[in-house]
Amino acid sequence: MRLKSNSNINGRLWGWDPPLKSSYDAVIIGGGLHGLATAYFLARHHGMSRVAVIEKRYIGFGGSGRNTAIVRANQRTQENLPLYKEALEMWPVLTRELDFNLMFYNCGNLNLAHSEAALKAMRLQVASAQIYGIQSQLVDPEQCKTLIPALDISDRPRYPIYGGMYHPPGGIVRHDAVVWGLAKGAARKGIHIHQGTEVTGIGVKNQKIVSVETDKGKINTSRVLNAAGGYSAALSYQMLGIRLPISVLTIQAMVTQPLKPLLNHVVSSGAYHCYANQTLKGEIATGAHMDPWPNYTNQSTARYIKHQAEAVTEFLPCLKGVKFMRIWGGLADMTPDMAPIIYGNDPIKGYYIDCGWGYFGFKSCLVTGKYMAKFMADGTCPNILKPFTLRRFEQHRLMGETAAVVNYSPDN
Amino acid sequence: MAFTITCPVCGIRRGYEFRFGGEDKGPMPPEESLASETWCEYVHMNNCIAGIQKEWWFHRDGCGSWFTIYRDTTTNQQVENR
Amino acid sequence: MKRLNQLPTFRIQYGKELSVNFGQKRCRGLEGDTIASALYANDVRIFGRSLKYHRPRGLYSLDGECSNTMMAVDGIPNVRAENTPAVDGMNIKAQNVFGKTPDFDMMRFMDELSWAMPAGFYYQTLHKPSRIWPLAIKHIRKAAGLGILSPDFHMRGKFDESYISTDVCVIGGGPAGMCAALSAADQGLRVVLLENRPWLGGYFEYRPREYQKGVPLYQRARELAESVGHTPNIRTFKNTAMIGSYHNNLITAFQRGNKSDIFTERYLEIRAGSVVVATGCIERPLLFENNERPGVMQIGCAHRLARNWGLLPGKRAAFSVGHDLGLEAAIDLADLGLDIACVADIRQDSYDSNLAAELEKRNIPFLPGWVAIRAHGSKTVNAVTLSSINATRRRKLSCDTVVASAGMTPVTGPVILPGGKLTYDNHTGFFLPATIPPQMHVAGRLLGLDDPFAIETSGLLAGLKAAADCGKPVENNLKEMAKNQATLPGPTRGTKLVTGPVKGKETFICFDEDCTLKNINQAMHRGFDVPELIKRFTSAGTGPGQGGIPGHNLPMYVAETGESPDRNPKPTTVRPPLVPVYLATYAGSNHDMSKRTPMHDSQVKAGGKMERIGVWNRARRFSSDTSARKEIENVRNNVGLLDGSTLGKFRIFGSDALKALQRVYVSDMSKVAEGKVKYSAMCNEDGCLMDDGIVVKIDENDYYMTASTGRAGQTIEWIRYHTRYDGWNFHMVNLTDAYGVINMAGPNARKVLEKVTDADVSNEAFPFAGYREFLIQNMPVRAMRLGFVGELSYELHVLSSYMQSIWDLLEITGKEFGIQKFGLEAQNILRMEKGHVIIGSESEQRTTIHDLGLGFLWYRNKPEAKTVGAFALKDTEHQKGRLKLVGFKMKESGTRVPKDGSPLVDSRIRGYVCTARYSWALKEPIGMALVDDDLCGEGTTLNIYEDGCKGKLLSAKVVSMPFYDPDGKQMRC
């Protein structure tokens, strides 16, 4: 009762358990989406396949398998827009390239405004997207209702709906599929994925990376990418003494029991701080809350599942008649300006960082992997990644992805 | 999780009554001694310890004190002073 | 079908009839019926169709662990028929049925296509060629999901919530749970007891087997329940499903209301000193071909159907079991009239030989070492094939019921959720708690106990341990009880068998997701070799029933195959809620808390359009004209009144109060002069504007200060945070709610004020930026002359209780001077004409006070104060490449007002419009924008790109601010 081997070794998607070699051209810490994508593109675009991905648990254990799976390109600033635009265009391309269905469901995203101020913020986002050739438009409450018939657009809710921002090119992607597809692609190009392997140290000599120590043995290498997601800041500090401006918070999400089609688009609301979308399986996925203090627990809270039910049924009252069946948490590495840190070769040559993604790690994984691979291959930062420098914090140049002060840092 | 914190004034209370105030980094260094990098180290950079750390909390829905506790960030439980 | 004669274990009441509608069919039932039992009594066997293959599904566990019996009831999808009471007149529909009744489903051909849908089918197909995927999505969506919810659905009922504090919380009202509750209560503790079923009794409740001479188990259950009921310090919640278990003994649950309850469902949050988990076991499904065909059911289902509801599961049943409960049920059901074809037992030995003898007495063939491998029958069961475990012999028997169960599975969710860890126990075949969170104890069957006395004693012991957690001196009792326990039988040896010799093509390990053993094999073959990954790849255990069916079979099966690198079976993660819960129930009463100013009612009465601004309700305007033109013009021409009570107000005093002010305000606060107001700003460490306000010196080391509305909640926290290392002596009092604020502004403001107070309020005696305290008709007032909207204006801080009186007095007195109320909209536009910024509207998180043109507020020569933000202000003072705030007007007259938020562009985005409005004073549009610093020179052209403009830009030019009365004559006169 075995399927015939049709690909790869014994038909396994991402190969066998390769032996840990004593040296690799590059070592990627973290078998999540960013690490796997970078590995894949190192091999595909730069001919570097002597690369190891080191994963403590199993691939996709962390944020990669716990995120909202929402993709979109309507960011706020022009430093971010081109990156996310390209990211959005990559889903179908990679589906073909990896010969693995990433299940990009292009349903479009509707973001609700519950005040004049929110409408103004959306106008900036919509117009900026349009300037960059990204489809996005403002819609009035009636149009919101047409898009999502379940919305309550009356005056009854605590925060009535003033309008919305509709972004047709967005949607959702099956996050596990991306993990497995990238792993498959990388493994086929000869990259070694070491699951169940823990990095225990990083060797530096003369301000240069020389090795990575793991619980399975030492690896000599001159390039290391820290793509450890929620653990990247802890790892950077513990192993290299390099501190990062990051707070690691648990973000929670949940799903209801599956229903026949009810929501045809992703819908989200800033005032209620939540999103809802219907997965291809029919579940309503909703979430977004984080308790505003650092922790590494991945645990869900009693308070939040209740709060979420209160919030989401305010603007989607029919959902009172469905049941939550599962809540989970994942780690989000938040920066002071809600933009990631992509940096390398400073202060240690060969040390690269790709972290601080907060809410945005999933949508951006393919494009970041692509350019991070270029960065690691060339040693110079591609222009599109330059705005995400670690140095922006000491230069007093926070990015404008969020206009409001963030609520998880003590500094507000 | 159902986090609780022991406030030095009010005793054991629900975690949601409090506001997190960052890792304990000591007082701000004197202005004259600062360069942009050292300022940034103090203001923005964190140790992000996965384990026990000393940190500040404010009893917002209570007495209004700032105080420090030790907490294990991997379990999100307050622990005894080490 | 005919019900059995009255049994003492019945939960139905003969004579009290009801009827429910199942599609077109009217089904008669009795009071006490669940939907499931009522339908079953009316010969309904197929309750719905499965998700993927549209296979018929029916009663299986009777506790609702899977989607088999989820039905649409009165428009609500996915209702668990097995534990929802039948109510007269209910309309019930089967789900996922294409056709009129679940007996005929037009999609049933899907079952024949299962070969074409291996595990991970979607991932590996449907994207080639790429254009088929969008089409496939449509079909996948239609096929997916079970229930139908109308977008207009309105949930009826009352949803309550309750927050309970108790000493001991016992989860599970079976014998162990009741004993634990009784022994803890006996120590004088408050106990909360939660039971999912509508009655207490659990494992004993329906069984006629002897507890002791002459006392059947069900009678013992009733005795215990009675004791619990008579114990005043035990609060029992029946019909209550425990759903969450968290650190520090926080337990969440929800209760389904009875007819007499004031709620439909009630959310419970229980904080306990100690928790006892006595959740018992569910049955581990036996895996064989067609193991979910209607007619296949678990032991408890068949037995309880007869004992609680008087319904024999069928006419002729074959048993394939692995636990003595199965033998016991077969004997009892035979005595009740069921024809038993045979009892196959997975176990070769270790069964209770007395029970085997009883079977023999009744001529029921008993087959140790045999197991069911296939159920036959296209819609419902008509035969079963049994095989010896070693696959050497087979036998096919006709029957309409297969009672199948592989063994028991402990319900350990409450232990795992707060951090308990399980390990596989070879003796019981259970995943048993190896580490248990502090102040939590386990008891009863989930430990593998089957002996009634052992179960009860373990409950008593757990209750004592809980009492010890709560500080009761029970050491001796504990010792005694532990000794008792040691004399009683320990955990029973359990079966490990998951599946007999089957191929697995139609062997369902997860019913909800239609996932077969073959699918699991396929997943392992693709490299998904740990249960957690298999779960993700095959979806097994992710359906409406979560891990209820596959829970422990999956890891045991994976371990058995030897494919996994991890030889120790590990169950997949369990997540809350342990039982699915309506969002309505979680949402409960959904309190909305917001604040009202002392003027709220009169503002509403006067036609104020109220809006939620942060925690407050405020009047946006007093007419339907969104431009608020009349209110604006009246302030410029006559005089207006604004309720500014939401302003943050604080007293800060003590010998170090000034030091604290120097720390948080950027200006030199030692220059605060008596009788004067000092305006300043607070920055964060990045030098960005956090708040602005005024400070007044009331006395030596005693100041009064204001904060903006949105910030007031954090002001004390902020000041204390930034002085937390200093140990300074100062105190703060939040006076925000103690004082209301009236802003009276306009050229006639002084005329009004003069008429209501004896104090000298002339421009000489009370000049601009002055602070005075005086009486208005014996009511004390703190008055300030501020810029505010750019006219002569007084800000009156009045004790909240006097607000209405003073406001009314001013309105009556001011009538002759044209006094009118104005709202927030008018205030914002008036202030904008003066170039005032609103934090968050004209500033971003990254905007420093230099960027806003407020750098003059910063006093650089106080390094000893360690002013918050000072370093960044120094660093950014002359920094290039920043966004700066500028004022603008439209280049050509007659151009309309550009929309807020519109970007400014040349070859790239150069900034954006923060706020733009038509100025009634200037008779043209004005606006403020954040722009790249090289564009902030006066006269520079700004090109405005509005959404949807398709490249047609509006043109504006940078002008100096303030727009209105740049010399400030109006406010100083």
Side-chain angles (χ1 to χ4, degrees):
Chain A
M1 195 200 329
R2 292 277 185 269
L3 276 186
K4 269 192 220 135
S5 293
N6 53 8
S7 62
N8 224 334
I9 295 161
N10 300 327
R12 291 168 79 95
L13 268 180
W14 59 92
W16 70 111
D17 281 339
L20 191 79
K21 292 206 284 187
S22 61
S23 101
Y24 286 98
D25 292 342
V27 172
I28 291 167
I29 305 173
L33 288 165
H34 283 253
L36 290 168
T38 306
Y40 172 73
F41 285 108
L42 275 172
R44 180 173 160 78
H45 290 164
H46 307 283
M48 284 175 65
S49 55
R50 282 176 35 86
V51 174
V53 177
I54 310 291
E55 168 56 48
K56 185 173 164 186
R57 310 290 288 258
Y58 51 84
I59 58 168
F61 170 81
S64 302
R66 296 164 189 270
N67 60 77
T68 68
I70 296 170
V71 296
R72 55 180 179 83
N74 52 354
Q75 299 302 107
R76 187 170 185 267
T77 62
Q78 58 190 344
E79 290 79 15
N80 282 266
L81 283 163
L83 193 74
Y84 286 84
K85 183 189 183 194
E86 189 174 345
L88 200 49
E89 288 160 355
M90 285 174 83
W91 301 110
V93 177
L94 263 283
T95 293
R96 263 199 308 280
E97 224 173 271
L98 300 167
D99 185 20
F100 200 75
N101 192 354
L102 306 182
M103 299 198 205
F104 173 38
Y105 170 30
N106 171 213
C107 57
N109 313 45
L110 175 66
N111 190 218
L112 300 171
H114 300 272
S115 66
E116 283 298 332
L119 271 182
K120 165 189 154 183
M122 281 180 185
R123 233 176 258 126
L124 173 59
Q125 254 176 290
V126 163
S128 300
Q130 288 172 358
I131 291 168
Y132 278 84
I134 298 161
Q135 251 184 298
S136 184
Q137 70 194 79
L138 285 169
V139 287
D140 63 27
E142 283 72 28
Q143 290 169 308
C144 291
K145 178 91 179 160
T146 309
L147 290 166
I148 307 272
L151 284 178
D152 184 349
I153 58 166
S154 73
D155 284 343
R156 186 204 56 82
R158 189 175 310 173
Y159 306 113
I161 294 169
Y162 278 56
M165 170 166 69
Y166 180 48
H167 175 50
I172 49 178
V173 174
R174 177 88 181 108
H175 51 207
D176 287 335
V178 188
V179 173
W180 300 331
L182 285 170
K184 173 188 170 190
R188 284 185 183 187
K189 295 196 183 301
I191 280 165
H192 285 187
I193 298 168
H194 298 286
Q195 301 187 88
T197 306
E198 187 177 355
V199 171
T200 54
I202 299 174
V204 177
K205 228 181 216 165
N206 303 326
Q207 293 296 97
K208 279 184 192 156
I209 294 287
V210 292
S211 64
V212 171
E213 281 118 54
T214 76
D215 58 354
K216 305 266 168 72
K218 185 177 165 184
I219 304 165
N220 292 315
T221 188
S222 59
R223 298 185 190 90
V224 170
L225 171 64
N226 179 354
Y231 285 90
S232 46
L235 192 134
S236 190
Y237 174 60
Q238 277 163 21
M239 295 187 185
L240 296 168
I242 296 173
R243 303 203 306 161
L244 297 174
I246 279 178
S247 301
V248 182
L249 273 54
T250 299
I251 183 165
Q252 299 179 48
M254 59 204 79
V255 291
T256 67
Q257 291 181 334
L259 295 171
K260 293 292 177 196
L262 176 70
L263 303 178
N264 293 327
H265 310 280
V266 178
V267 56
S268 59
S269 157
Y272 289 108
H273 196 66
C274 73
Y275 62 84
N277 64 267
Q278 192 166 19
T279 67
L280 288 178
K281 283 184 70 182
E283 306 147 334
I284 310 288
T286 178
H289 170 88
M290 16 177 82
D291 280 340
W293 57 81
N295 76 90
Y296 291 91
T297 63
N298 269 338
Q299 277 169 350
S300 63
T301 59
R303 179 189 174 105
Y304 177 53
I305 192 165
K306 180 168 191 345
H307 165 81
Q308 185 69 9
E310 291 169 2
V312 77
T313 57
E314 273 273 291
F315 62 97
L316 294 168
C318 69
L319 292 184
K320 283 186 176 174
V322 292
K323 294 173 179 177
F324 276 139
M325 72 176 186
R326 183 168 74 242
I327 177 170
W328 66 93
L331 301 183
D333 43 342
M334 310 299 290
T335 59
D337 57 1
M338 300 259 287
I341 297 163
I342 309 175
Y343 200 57
N345 289 327
D346 176 39
I348 296 170
K349 194 156 166 36
Y351 179 55
Y352 297 85
I353 306 168
D354 171 15
C355 66
W357 283 97
Y359 298 141
F360 304 117
F362 178 65
K363 346 185 181 325
S364 61
C365 64
L366 296 182
V367 74
T368 312
K370 176 182 159 185
Y371 288 107
M372 195 72 223
K374 189 166 162 40
F375 192 176
M376 290 179 73
D378 301 352
T380 50
C381 186
N383 283 334
I384 197 166
L385 297 184
K386 277 184 181 157
F388 305 98
T389 167
L390 172 61
R391 297 285 161 225
R392 67 181 186 271
F393 302 98
E394 67 190 42
Q395 290 161 356
H396 312 284
R397 295 190 192 279
L398 301 192
M399 293 189 86
E401 265 316 294
T402 172
V405 282
V406 296
N407 77 342
Y408 47 81
S409 120
D411 197 24
N412 68 46
Chain B
M1 73 192 99
F3 182 35
T4 54
I5 289 177
T6 303
C7 167
V9 180
C10 311
I12 186 165
R13 312 289 303 178
R14 277 162 68 91
Y16 293 105
E17 293 183 7
F18 300 83
R19 183 212 157 90
F20 177 69
E23 297 172 4
D24 181 34
K25 301 176 181 177
M28 180 81 159
E31 220 172 285
E32 305 90 324
S33 72
L34 286 171
S36 298
E37 299 80 37
T38 46
W39 167 86
C40 187
E41 272 292 313
Y42 180 81
V43 169
H44 286 304
M45 301 300 178
N46 291 320
N47 292 348
C48 294
I49 288 170
I52 293 167
Q53 71 177 15
K54 188 182 179 192
E55 58 191 21
W56 285 96
W57 287 85
F58 175 70
H59 198 179
R60 177 189 283 168
D61 300 341
C63 60
S65 342
W66 278 103
F67 56 93
T68 56
I69 64 166
Y70 290 86
R71 182 177 60 108
D72 186 339
T73 59
T74 62
T75 59
N76 199 37
Q77 300 263 53
Q78 186 176 355
V79 295
E80 288 298 306
N81 189 344
R82 283 191 306 179
Chain C
M1 68 191 278
K2 201 168 165 294
R3 300 219 193 205
L4 296 170
N5 284 330
Q6 194 65 264
L7 295 174
T9 48
F10 271 8
R11 294 295 173 178
I12 38 171
Q13 296 181 39
Y14 278 112
K16 289 197 175 173
E17 298 213 344
L18 54 83
S19 75
V20 296
N21 303 312
F22 177 52
Q24 305 295 319
K25 186 173 168 162
R26 202 171 136 97
C27 297
R28 291 192 174 282
L30 297 170
E31 181 90 27
D33 261 327
T34 62
I35 294 173
S37 66
L39 296 184
Y40 209 84
N42 288 267
D43 300 315
V44 173
R45 292 296 175 269
I46 301 176
F47 281 65
R49 290 277 170 166
S50 74
L51 182 71
K52 262 203 281 190
Y53 304 140
H54 288 256
R55 291 168 66 93
R57 294 284 164 84
L59 293 193
Y60 187 75
S61 75
L62 224 52
D63 271 324
E65 280 111 10
C66 59
S67 61
N68 281 13
T69 52
M70 286 187 182
M71 313 189 86
V73 177
D74 296 334
I76 306 175
N78 299 342
V79 175
R80 293 180 164 200
E82 298 176 0
N83 49 16
T84 305
V87 174
D88 196 45
M90 255 180 181
N91 288 306
I92 299 155
K93 274 170 106 177
Q95 297 191 144
N96 215 35
V97 175
F98 285 77
K100 282 209 173 114
T101 80
D103 291 2
F104 302 96
D105 186 321
M106 287 174 327
M107 295 288 280
R108 66 187 180 278
F109 66 88
M110 288 299 292
D111 198 17
E112 304 302 317
L113 294 178
S114 63
W115 59 270
M117 296 171 76
F121 168 69
Y122 295 144
Y123 302 117
Q124 297 166 66
T125 48
L126 292 180
H127 60 288
K128 286 182 292 195
S130 55
R131 66 174 183 280
I132 69 162
W133 175 237
L135 299 172
I137 285 176
K138 282 188 191 157
H139 291 283
I140 292 171
R141 290 197 71 208
K142 246 191 257 168
L146 278 180
I148 298 169
L149 189 74
S150 157
D152 308 318
F153 174 78
H154 173 72
M155 187 74 165
R156 287 175 208 285
K158 279 195 180 142
F159 295 88
D160 194 11
E161 49 198 277
S162 183
Y163 297 81
I164 297 162
S165 190
T166 186
D167 296 317
V168 179
C169 177
V170 180
I171 305 164
M178 289 193 282
C179 287
L182 287 166
S183 81
D186 195 39
Q187 297 298 324
L189 295 167
R190 296 167 303 155
V191 179
V192 164
L193 176 62
L194 308 177
E195 169 53 46
N196 189 29
R197 290 185 184 154
W199 46 78
L200 297 174
Y203 186 50
F204 288 4
E205 185 270 335
Y206 59 94
R207 293 166 61 202
R209 204 175 178 194
E210 263 188 356
Y211 169 75
Q212 61 195 92
K213 196 94 189 111
V215 181
L217 287 171
Y218 64 77
Q219 191 180 321
R220 173 63 181 166
R222 280 153 183 77
E223 285 166 14
L224 283 172
E226 207 166 308
S227 304
V228 166
H230 288 148
T231 308
N233 45 336
I234 301 178
R235 217 175 144 186
T236 304
F237 292 87
K238 288 179 253 188
N239 265 318
T240 300
M242 180 269 182
I243 50 179
S245 163
Y246 304 86
H247 277 163
N248 302 316
N249 287 335
L250 185 76
I251 303 293
T252 58
F254 75 94
Q255 184 175 21
R256 306 170 201 96
N258 285 319
K259 266 187 215 158
S260 57
D261 285 318
I262 52 153
F263 53 86
T264 312
E265 288 196 348
R266 171 160 72 171
Y267 172 78
L268 302 172
E269 210 171 291
I270 301 150
R271 181 76 77 166
S274 187
V275 172
V276 175
V277 180
T279 37
C281 288
I282 56 173
E283 287 171 55
R284 194 155 54 77
L286 181 67
L287 303 182
F288 54 94
E289 308 285 28
N290 299 325
N291 58 327
E292 33 64 270
R293 190 65 85 218
V296 177
M297 62 178 68
Q298 294 187 320
I299 303 164
C301 178
H303 205 179
R304 290 180 58 220
L305 212 46
R307 277 274 159 191
N308 288 150
W309 288 285
L311 298 165
L312 286 178
K315 293 198 167 62
R316 184 174 156 84
F319 277 59
S320 175
V321 297
H323 192 278
D324 285 342
L325 267 186
L327 312 192
E328 184 189 319
I331 294 162
D332 190 35
L333 288 169
D335 291 350
L336 292 171
L338 184 66
D339 182 8
I340 312 275
C342 78
V343 177
D345 196 322
I346 295 162
R347 301 168 295 179
Q348 305 274 8
D349 44 41
S350 83
Y351 48 82
D352 184 337
S353 52
N354 295 326
L355 291 173
E358 289 291 319
L359 286 170
E360 201 176 335
K361 236 194 257 175
R362 289 165 179 79
N363 288 323
I364 299 169
F366 179 54
L367 305 170
W370 281 66
V371 65
I373 56 167
R374 175 178 289 274
H376 304 270
S378 64
K379 278 181 198 158
T380 56
V381 170
N382 60 23
V384 64
T385 300
L386 303 170
S387 162
S388 60
I389 300 267
N390 57 15
T392 53
R393 283 180 299 160
R394 278 185 183 202
R395 190 188 279 193
K396 188 172 172 181
L397 297 167
S398 66
C399 58
D400 62 0
T401 305
V402 177
V403 177
S405 175
M408 295 290 144
T409 292
V411 180
T412 45
V415 184
I416 307 167
L417 292 181
K421 295 272 180 295
L422 301 181
T423 48
Y424 185 71
D425 175 61
N426 211 32
H427 176 70
T428 50
F430 283 10
F431 292 100
L432 286 177
T435 55
I436 300 173
Q439 283 86 47
M440 182 177 264
H441 310 281
V442 290
R445 272 175 90 206
L446 72 79
L447 294 169
L449 301 174
D450 280 312
D451 177 76
F453 291 96
I455 289 173
E456 289 189 6
T457 309
S458 79
L460 295 171
L461 187 61
L464 286 173
K465 288 180 184 165
D469 289 339
C470 299
K472 293 287 173 186
V474 290
E475 288 98 43
N476 292 336
N477 316 37
L478 271 169
K479 268 185 213 151
E480 188 108 333
M481 197 61 73
K483 240 193 251 166
N484 283 352
Q485 182 89 66
T487 64
L488 294 164
T492 311
R493 202 175 102 201
T495 64
K496 281 105 200 170
L497 186 106
V498 176
T499 175
V502 300
K503 288 198 168 152
K505 191 176 152 254
E506 287 173 296
T507 299
F508 287 82
I509 192 163
C510 174
F511 301 169
D512 295 356
E513 295 288 332
D514 272 346
C515 179
T516 62
L517 278 189
K518 186 179 160 192
N519 296 142
I520 303 297
N521 293 338
Q522 286 162 342
M524 289 192 285
H525 185 53
R526 300 295 270 161
F528 297 88
D529 46 14
V530 293
E532 204 68 54
L533 279 175
I534 294 168
K535 174 177 161 184
R536 290 188 189 190
F537 191 65
T538 62
S539 301
T542 65
Q546 294 290 287
I549 297 296
H552 288 184
N553 269 340
L554 178 63
M556 287 171 81
Y557 177 74
V558 173
E560 211 173 70
T561 62
E563 291 266 336
S564 174
D566 191 353
R567 293 281 180 270
N568 293 322
K570 256 191 218 97
T572 55
T573 317
V574 173
R575 303 183 189 285
L578 294 177
V579 174
V581 188
Y582 286 117
L583 268 69
T585 305
Y586 267 126
S589 48
N590 201 358
H591 303 292
D592 178 21
M593 287 195 282
S594 65
K595 288 171 76 170
R596 296 172 169 197
T597 74
M599 300 306 301
H600 184 87
D601 291 345
S602 72
Q603 300 249 306
V604 170
K605 211 181 273 173
K609 309 279 179 248
M610 307 305 283
E611 242 176 48
R612 274 290 285 279
I613 313 281
V615 295
W616 290 98
N617 292 280
R618 297 195 72 177
R620 181 109 221 152
R621 27 169 223 279
F622 289 88
S623 76
S624 52
D625 173 19
T626 52
S627 77
R629 177 181 180 176
K630 280 198 179 136
E631 293 170 33
I632 292 168
E633 288 181 335
N634 193 58
V635 173
R636 291 273 179 250
N637 299 330
N638 298 309
V639 56
L641 277 183
L642 176 98
D643 176 17
S645 302
T646 62
L647 192 73
K649 297 164 284 280
F650 300 90
R651 180 183 175 204
I652 174 168
F653 63 102
S655 54
D656 295 320
L658 180 59
K659 282 187 191 162
L661 294 175
Q662 290 283 47
R663 171 69 51 83
V664 294
Y665 281 107
V666 295
S667 313
D668 183 1
M669 304 315 285
S670 66
K671 299 275 164 57
V672 180
E674 259 169 75
K676 297 273 282 178
V677 297
K678 175 135 185 102
Y679 170 75
S680 188
M682 294 189 204
C683 291
N684 65 8
E685 293 288 9
D686 287 315
C688 300
L689 181 63
M690 297 304 288
D691 199 7
D692 63 346
I694 59 96
V695 179
V696 172
K697 191 169 180 178
I698 302 289
D699 208 335
E700 203 49 37
N701 297 327
D702 196 349
Y703 300 84
Y704 181 69
M705 54 180 276
T706 66
S708 57
T709 298
R711 192 65 194 166
Q714 283 114 288
T715 300
I716 291 183
E717 174 182 328
W718 180 257
I719 294 178
R720 290 232 166 264
Y721 177 75
H722 287 288
T723 55
R724 68 197 184 283
Y725 286 105
D726 299 289
W728 286 340
N729 173 32
F730 69 91
H731 308 276
M732 293 194 73
V733 187
N734 189 341
L735 297 170
T736 303
D737 297 336
Y739 281 92
V741 170
I742 300 170
N743 285 104
M744 182 163 64
N748 296 339
R750 185 176 295 117
K751 291 181 200 156
V752 182
L753 193 59
E754 275 169 343
K755 282 202 146 188
V756 296
T757 181
D758 297 333
D760 183 357
V761 294
S762 67
N763 202 25
E764 296 69 37
F766 187 7
F768 181 71
Y771 171 81
R772 296 291 180 273
E773 293 174 7
F774 50 76
L775 297 175
I776 293 180
Q777 294 204 345
N778 286 327
M779 293 177 278
V781 165
R782 297 178 159 187
M784 307 158 201
R785 274 195 61 188
L786 303 174
F788 190 47
V789 295
E791 301 297 335
L792 167 64
S793 60
Y794 298 92
E795 185 165 295
L796 307 175
H797 293 218
V798 179
L799 287 170
S800 291
S801 48
Y802 294 147
M803 272 292 283
Q804 187 76 53
S805 310
I806 292 187
W807 180 283
D808 291 347
L809 188 65
L810 291 172
E811 257 196 320
I812 293 162
T813 314
K815 211 165 186 180
E816 56 176 300
F817 305 109
I819 204 163
Q820 295 287 343
K821 297 182 186 66
F822 66 106
L824 206 54
E825 181 67 27
Q827 178 204 272
N828 289 350
I829 296 174
L830 287 161
R831 282 179 58 80
M832 194 189 135
E833 288 173 336
K834 288 295 293 175
H836 291 301
V837 303
I838 297 176
I839 296 173
S841 182
E842 274 69 54
S843 71
E844 292 184 356
Q845 180 206 19
R846 55 181 170 170
T847 311
T848 68
I849 56 170
H850 296 307
D851 300 335
L852 294 170
L854 294 172
F856 66 90
L857 291 172
W858 172 47
Y859 179 67
R860 70 184 67 220
N861 300 320
K862 48 166 190 167
E864 72 291 345
K866 286 194 188 175
T867 305
V868 181
F871 182 84
L873 288 174
K874 197 162 69 185
D875 243 13
T876 56
E877 193 178 5
H878 304 293
Q879 194 176 35
K880 290 273 173 282
R882 302 190 64 85
L883 284 175
K884 299 275 177 189
L885 189 73
V886 296
F888 68 82
K889 290 182 177 176
M890 303 314 288
K891 242 184 167 170
E892 282 168 43
S893 64
T895 314
R896 64 176 172 78
V897 186
K899 296 185 210 161
D900 292 355
S902 301
L904 306 168
V905 295
D906 45 29
S907 60
R908 46 187 240 110
I909 297 172
R910 303 298 304 271
Y912 63 92
V913 173
C914 298
T915 314
R917 291 287 183 274
Y918 186 80
S919 163
W920 298 103
L922 277 75
K923 306 275 183 286
E924 64 175 323
I926 55 169
M928 290 190 272
L930 280 165
V931 300
D932 283 340
D933 49 10
D934 58 326
L935 297 182
C936 67
E938 237 174 275
T940 310
T941 300
L942 303 175
N943 299 308
I944 302 170
Y945 184 107
E946 290 183 319
D947 68 283
C949 72
K950 300 198 169 89
K952 242 187 118 184
L953 308 178
L954 295 176
S955 243
K957 61 174 189 292
V958 175
V959 299
S960 67
M961 287 198 286
F963 305 97
Y964 173 78
D965 185 25
D967 305 329
K969 282 184 192 139
Q970 291 294 111
M971 60 190 187
R972 289 193 166 80
C973 68

